Structure formats: C-alpha cells, structure tokens
Amino acid sequence: MTALAVTAVVAVGLGSATGVVPFELVRIPSDSMTPTLEPGDHVVLDHRGRAVSRGDLVVVPDPQDGTLIVKRVVAVGGDMVGISDGVLEVDGRAVDEPYADRSLENGVYYGPYPVPDGRLFLLGDHRAVSVDSRAFGPVPATDVVGTVDVRVWPRPGSLDEPAR
C-alpha cells in the first residue's frame, strides 16, 4: 500500500470516528457478498444519503436483529422481482449480473414478487448463503444508512470488479 493510500485510510478512519466526515470504515464479517466482498475486507461506507438505484451496494439495519448488513439493490418500488432457476429477473427480464458468481447460485425459484413503492429489494451476491429480502422482504428506502463503492483493504479499489 502506498503512503498516500495509508494516509487516506488513516484520515477517513479518524474523520469517521470523530464524526467530522460523512464516511466510515466498515469490516465485512460474512461471505454473503462473495465474490464482490470477501470476509475481512474493509470498505468505505458513505453516509451522504445519495439516491440509490438497482445495482448499488447499500448498508441497512438487518430487519431481524438490527445489525448493519451490506446487500445489493436488485429491484426498487414498482418493480416485479423473481428468481427463476437461479437467474434474477426484474419485470420479466433476466438481469446481467457480472458481480454474482453463477457457480454459487442455487436453482431455487422465488416470486414473482411486486416491490412496494418506497421499498428496495436486496440480495447478497452469494445467493446460496445470503439472508436477504427473500427472507425478510423489501426494506424501506429510508432505512438505507449509506452506500458502499470502495474497498480499502486488502485489495484497494472500486467495487465494479469482483475481489477474486
């Protein structure tokens, strides 16, 4: 890691700990977002409250126990979402998901399910182990704590490409 990257990580860490900056370093505890995020990865949680859309990684309180979880927005209010033989479908069309490892998919069927207005349907990229909206339903968009776009450790960079 370069000196600039170390300085940036330290600055974000100190700034988020003191509440001075709207960012927070978060450690990924589980493999529900594999291969995009691996257990032990550290990411930057952006609390600035931007609008989210399909494909974004968001942090929300787990409706089951209140702990913070990272999941991917796959459908928004007004969408019809389903999974057919492991393939995500939104409004009846298969979704290209380069971030999801097809070898980790299971053949379970889900839906089709109408996502209510003002809610988000969230899935983990590792569908076979992820506890997500298939279990707890769509979450209110207002529950989004922040978004995740950048991994800082151990493989710094954008989340556009899987961590592999």
Side-chain angles (χ1 to χ4, degrees):
M1 194 178 240
T2 68
L4 179 60
V6 169
T7 302
V9 168
V10 169
V12 169
L14 289 173
S16 66
T18 60
V20 173
V21 296
F23 302 101
E24 178 181 352
L25 289 176
V26 176
R27 182 182 174 279
I28 302 301
S30 75
D31 65 348
S32 73
M33 289 302 296
T34 300
T36 306
L37 297 171
E38 302 286 341
D41 282 356
H42 288 74
V43 297
V44 175
L45 171 57
D46 183 344
H47 291 284
R48 291 181 293 177
R50 70 172 173 83
V52 298
S53 57
R54 286 182 213 93
D56 288 345
L57 295 185
V58 297
V59 174
V60 297
D62 184 327
Q64 298 171 328
D65 66 13
T67 61
L68 294 181
I69 56 174
V70 177
K71 300 295 176 191
R72 187 174 301 276
V73 177
V74 299
V76 298
D79 288 342
M80 184 71 70
V81 65
I83 298 175
S84 179
D85 200 21
V87 176
L88 175 66
E89 296 178 352
V90 176
D91 295 333
R93 291 185 295 269
V95 176
D96 179 31
E97 296 185 287
Y99 42 78
D101 185 341
R102 299 301 278 203
S103 70
L104 303 175
E105 299 286 333
N106 57 30
V108 174
Y109 289 83
Y110 178 88
Y113 180 87
V115 181
D117 287 338
R119 295 194 169 252
L120 305 171
F121 198 89
L122 309 176
L123 293 177
D125 290 353
H126 188 172
R127 307 277 158 76
V129 301
S130 180
V131 177
D132 46 39
S133 287
R134 293 171 295 173
F136 52 69
V139 300
T142 55
D143 282 1
V144 172
V145 172
T147 56
V148 174
D149 297 310
V150 177
R151 179 187 314 101
V152 294
W153 183 261
R155 295 164 303 280
S158 168
L159 296 179
D160 293 336
E161 294 295 321
R164 300 173 209 208

